[in-house]
């Protein structure tokens, strides 16, 4: 639990903040070997390792952390927090307050800056004054960028993957449709559904939100090559059956509904919509000039959600960032999670070989 209430950018404060986190490796006596790994929207602190108690899914970046791997735990102390507002141990809408009730609809509006301020208190508690590297993709990249701008002296190097300087109108539009899908579910109850019991939450709305989001995470060419217009098994789409791509989206919706809280999805999506590194800092270009970290910016060539042009803007305005690194992948936005070897090469470029 953080030592003091967290002051929020939108006003007020959040008391009793807890941040769940995992670590790998050992912190050096001078705390010079700490690396911060920041997850995307529906990720968590379990970056590597099998599923198990407290970890409903296996690590989402397996292959990146461990002895002899790019983030070599014989050399680096790696920290991965579950984001504030999440639902895998950190304080969020499903958390219990001091009075025994769930936060639900009373949970406050969060920004990326609030989440990073909480992470800074975590770093203080761990005795880490400066990160050797901060790395994140998508929503995690937004927070990594906030770290480098808000705390330039605490960010030694920076790896930004598939993220923007500010959420665009189109990105906000896609997210808004997802938010409407959840909020119009009759089981949403304005966010106060956590006492409804098993199966009583806005699962249909969350599933719809995930289906829409997942389409934006992948590329048209991959979906075409992988599924085409094929039916799912023996199902007949003209007689109430599904196309194979429909079954694929149903599968991912069901997986998310089993492990993620709809209230957290709303809070985190709104925080992503609020992302603007230049807000109250004189604009994007002025804010990016604050970055002192050695920086690599990378995007995915087939990403239609956070296209390369947004990473090119970051690279152009961050001092010393030079050219954008391009992750070649047919998988769209999810390429930054799937193309581990290419991400590993970027980590080695910043930190040197393991």
């Amino acid at each position: 639990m953080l030592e003091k209430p967290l002051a929020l950018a939108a006003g007020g404060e959040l008391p009793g903040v807890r941040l769940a986190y995992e670590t790998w490796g050992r912190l050096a006596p001078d705390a010079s070997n700490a690396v911060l790994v920041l997850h995307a929207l529906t990720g968590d602190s379990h970056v590597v390792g099998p599923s198990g108690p407290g970890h409903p899914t296996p690590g989402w970046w397996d292959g990146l952390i461990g002895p002899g791997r790019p983030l070599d735990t014989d050399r680096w102390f790696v920290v991965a927090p579950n984001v504030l507002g999440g639902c895998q141990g950190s304080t969020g809408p499903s958390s219990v307050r001091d009075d025994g009730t769930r936060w639900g609809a009373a949970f406050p509006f969060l920004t990326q800056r609030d989440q990073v301020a909480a992470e800074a208190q975590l770093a203080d508690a761990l005795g880490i004054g400066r990160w050797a590297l901060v790395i994140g993709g998508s929503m995690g990249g937004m927070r990594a960028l906030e770290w480098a701008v808000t705390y330039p002296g605490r960010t030694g190097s920076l790896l930004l993957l598939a993220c923007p300087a500010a959420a665009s109108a189109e990105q906000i539009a896609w997210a808004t449709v997802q938010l409407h899908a959840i909020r119009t579910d009759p089981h949403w109850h304005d966010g106060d559904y956590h006492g409804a019991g098993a199966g009583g939450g806005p699962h249909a709305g969350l599933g719809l939100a995930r289906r829409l989001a997942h389409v934006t995470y992948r590329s048209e060419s991959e979906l075409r090559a992988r599924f085409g217009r094929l039916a799912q098994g023996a199902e007949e789409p003209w007689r109430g059956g599904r196309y194979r791509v429909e079954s694929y989206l149903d599968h991912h919706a069901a997986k998310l509904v089993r492990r993620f809280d709809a209230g957290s999805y709303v809070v985190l999506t709104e925080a992503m919509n609020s992302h603007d590194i230049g807000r109250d800092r004189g604009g994007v270009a002025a804010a990016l000039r604050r970055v002192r970290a050695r920086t690599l910016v990378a995007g995915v060539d087939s990403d239609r959600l956070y296209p390369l042009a947004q990473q090119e803007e970051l690279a152009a305005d961050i001092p010393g960032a030079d050219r954008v690194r391009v992750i070649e992948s047919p998988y769209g936005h999810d390429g930054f999670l799937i193309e581990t070897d290419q991400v590993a090469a970027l980590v080695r470029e910043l930190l040197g070989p393991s």
Side-chain angles (χ1 to χ4, degrees):
M1 182 181 290
L2 302 187
E3 290 186 354
K4 55 187 179 182
L6 184 70
L8 302 176
E13 61 183 23
L14 183 62
V17 171
R18 292 181 181 272
L19 286 187
Y21 64 96
E22 287 188 62
T23 68
W24 298 264
R26 180 173 295 181
L27 187 64
D30 62 358
S32 63
N33 67 333
V35 173
L36 181 64
V37 177
L38 301 175
H39 67 77
L41 172 59
T42 60
D44 54 30
S45 62
H46 194 52
V47 185
V48 295
S51 59
H55 304 304
T57 55
W60 47 270
W61 242 355
D62 254 339
L64 203 65
I65 299 171
R69 291 176 174 174
L71 291 175
D72 187 341
T73 48
D74 292 332
R75 178 184 179 192
W76 302 105
F77 178 67
V78 182
V79 181
N82 179 225
V83 70
L84 178 64
C87 55
Q88 298 296 336
S90 293
T91 299
S94 61
S95 300
V96 178
R97 294 187 283 185
D98 289 343
D99 63 4
T101 64
R102 305 277 181 177
W103 273 100
F107 195 80
F109 184 93
L110 295 181
T111 69
Q112 307 285 323
R113 294 183 197 178
D114 300 326
Q115 294 163 338
V116 168
E119 291 163 3
Q121 288 195 45
L122 172 63
D124 293 341
L126 293 173
I128 299 168
R130 182 176 183 268
W131 299 104
L133 169 66
V134 179
I135 175 176
S138 194
M139 185 185 79
M142 297 177 189
R143 284 153 54 215
L145 182 60
E146 280 288 351
W147 259 100
V149 172
T150 304
Y151 305 103
R154 302 188 70 171
T155 309
S157 57
L158 178 67
L159 179 51
L160 302 175
L161 302 165
C163 66
S168 71
E170 183 177 43
Q171 288 150 5
I172 293 169
W174 284 119
T176 297
V177 178
Q178 296 170 48
L179 294 173
H180 276 290
I182 295 171
R183 287 171 169 153
T184 55
D185 186 311
H187 299 291
W188 170 242
H189 298 303
D190 294 325
D192 287 321
Y193 59 84
H194 292 98
H203 304 313
L206 179 59
L208 285 173
R210 180 60 168 183
R211 287 174 177 88
L212 176 61
H214 202 77
V215 173
T216 70
Y217 297 158
R218 311 303 279 227
S219 72
E220 185 278 334
S221 60
E222 187 222 353
L223 296 178
R224 172 166 35 87
R226 188 172 175 185
F227 303 109
R229 295 184 46 79
L230 295 175
Q232 174 63 21
E235 296 184 31
E236 298 183 42
W238 286 26
R239 292 176 174 81
R242 297 173 298 170
Y243 290 98
R244 191 174 292 180
V245 71
E246 290 181 79
S247 173
Y248 169 73
L249 295 176
D250 290 346
H251 169 72
H252 281 281
K255 279 179 61 178
L256 187 74
V257 165
R258 286 194 297 268
R259 70 174 179 85
F260 211 81
D261 176 55
S264 282
Y265 196 98
V266 168
V267 166
L268 300 182
T269 298
E270 288 186 325
M272 292 173 72
N273 283 350
S274 78
H275 173 60
D276 179 357
I277 202 69
R279 186 178 64 250
D280 300 326
R281 291 168 171 159
V284 166
L288 295 179
R289 286 195 294 270
R290 298 187 183 195
V291 176
R292 286 189 261 158
R294 183 186 175 203
T295 303
L296 290 182
V297 181
V300 182
D301 59 359
S302 57
D303 191 342
R304 57 181 171 181
L305 180 59
Y306 294 105
L308 275 171
Q310 292 187 312
Q311 289 86 64
E312 289 167 352
E313 178 187 23
L314 289 172
D317 289 334
I318 292 175
D322 66 57
R323 60 180 175 83
V324 170
R325 305 312 197 269
V326 178
I327 297 171
E328 297 179 353
S329 176
Y331 299 113
H333 183 62
D334 275 354
F336 83 91
L337 293 170
I338 296 170
E339 308 291 355
T340 309
D341 288 346
Q342 295 184 59
V343 174
L346 297 171
V347 172
R348 292 189 179 101
E349 186 176 346
L350 278 171
L351 296 180
S354 58

